[in-house]
Amino acid sequence: MTNRGKLIIFSAPSGSGKSTFLHVLSSLENPTSGHVYYGGKSLSSYNDNQLSILRRRRFGFVFQAYNLVEELTGYENILLPIMLDKKKPDEEYLKKIIDILGIEDRLSHLPSALSGGQQQRIAIARALANKPTILFADEPTGNLDGKSGREVLSLLKYVS
């Protein structure tokens, strides 16, 4: 059975461990007990290099702090996971995401020249750029106004 196309939302009070839970599920942190499986294989059996490749190729991440590379433009930040894999970007797919997120006029800007909401939308586009199997999003609409937040949720449903 596959869960492809499923959107799962965790909601709990601040400080209750939602971010830690996402970090453990995505292999960014190790569980203190038990195992996390992906594709029938325990993530603890992967070495650091294998985990990096898995995260880059199969997982997308939207962090609360965006984690954009300050020296790269918005577009370069979006392409980063694809460039690290030395793959050719799907320009039509990226254009669709960029259009939906309304960031086409911000692509040549460095993160320091972007508002928090614009940085968040760049981070979302980067997380989706490699067409991840699983998208881990930690408060993906936290810095967005209501309309933008609804658009982002629609986009996440669209790509799942």
Side-chain angles (χ1 to χ4, degrees), residues 131-142:
K131 300 178 183 177
T133 306
I134 300 174
L135 176 67
F136 295 98
D138 195 354
E139 299 191 30
T141 61

Side-chain angles (χ1 to χ4, degrees), residues 25-39:
L25 286 179
S26 65
S27 77
L28 293 173
E29 292 184 31
N30 293 319
T32 53
S33 65
H35 295 275
V36 176
Y37 289 87
Y38 175 78

Side-chain angles (χ1 to χ4, degrees), residues 61-79:
F61 298 92
V62 180
F63 299 99
Q64 284 184 19
Y66 321 125
N67 293 353
L68 299 178
V69 179
E70 291 297 323
E71 296 79 17
L72 299 180
T73 66
Y75 193 63
E76 291 166 339
N77 266 288
I78 293 169
L79 290 180

Side-chain angles (χ1 to χ4, degrees), residues 14 18 20 32 38 41 44 65 86 92 104 112-113 116 120 126 136 139 144 156:
S14 180
K18 297 180 302 292
T20 300
T32 53
Y38 175 78
K41 187 174 178 183
S44 63
K86 298 179 174 100
E92 186 176 320
E104 54 280 331
S112 60
Q120 189 149 27
R126 179 186 59 197
F136 295 98
E139 299 191 30
L144 303 177
L156 297 179

